[in-house]
Amino acid sequence: QVQLVESGGGSVQAGGSLRLSCAVSELTATSSRAWFRQAPGKEREGVAAFLTGHSTPLYAHSVEGRFTISLDNAKNMVYLQMNSLKPEDTAVFFCAAVNYGGVWNAEGNWHFWGQGTQVTVSS
């Protein structure tokens, strides 16, 4: 069965860094991957994505320059390096795989999801 498992979440002070990891089973190395986040009372928001057929990743404007998505195809892993964290980054972060098409940052366009990992940034 296809499974996505996130890890690396936790609590950090503003300006700090965290690296999230997502282990993906039974998918090819060329499958699209993405990170989303959801804060209480807000809709799920696309953070970063690596799409098949694209040589460079995509980022939400709010994280561009601070976050980096990367892949380890041999291990079927996807990472999200988060630097210069801000309190407004506080959310549950989810990894996703297999994009149906359309806009990348719409959660309905992704097939498989992990259970999420909490990231809390204090001021």
Side-chain angles (χ1 to χ4, degrees), residues 39-73:
K42 300 180 67 176
E43 63 185 16
R44 193 166 296 186
E45 172 191 29
V47 175
F50 241 126
L51 304 181
T52 58
H54 292 70
S55 60
T56 57
L58 301 168
Y59 295 98
H61 179 73
S62 60
V63 307
E64 192 170 13
R66 298 189 297 121
F67 292 8
T68 303
I69 186 172
S70 60
L71 305 176
D72 186 334
N73 292 328

Side-chain angles (χ1 to χ4, degrees), residues 23 32-33 56 65 99 112:
S32 296
R33 305 283 192 271
T56 57
N99 184 262
F112 299 108

Side-chain angles (χ1 to χ4, degrees), residues 1 3 5 34-35 43 59 63 77 81 83 85 88 101:
Q1 295 180 344
Q3 295 183 6
V5 181
W35 287 96
E43 63 185 16
Y59 295 98
V63 307
M77 298 282 292
Q81 178 66 45
N83 299 325
L85 283 163
E88 51 262 44

Side-chain angles (χ1 to χ4, degrees), residues 24-122:
V24 184
S25 67
E26 301 185 25
L27 292 175
T28 67
T30 58
S31 297
S32 296
R33 305 283 192 271
W35 287 96
F36 283 70
R37 66 185 181 186
Q38 187 166 22
K42 300 180 67 176
E43 63 185 16
R44 193 166 296 186
E45 172 191 29
V47 175
F50 241 126
L51 304 181
T52 58
H54 292 70
S55 60
T56 57
L58 301 168
Y59 295 98
H61 179 73
S62 60
V63 307
E64 192 170 13
R66 298 189 297 121
F67 292 8
T68 303
I69 186 172
S70 60
L71 305 176
D72 186 334
N73 292 328
K75 298 180 179 179
N76 215 3
M77 298 282 292
V78 58
Y79 305 96
L80 185 68
Q81 178 66 45
M82 304 185 294
N83 299 325
S84 301
L85 283 163
K86 305 174 181 179
E88 51 262 44
D89 294 319
T90 296
V92 177
F93 282 71
F94 301 87
C95 63
V98 184
N99 184 262
Y100 290 120
V103 295
W104 71 270
N105 56 351
E107 62 177 302
N109 289 338
W110 294 87
H111 191 188
F112 299 108
W113 293 87
Q115 294 299 307
T117 184
Q118 177 71 48
V119 172
T120 302
V121 184
S122 62

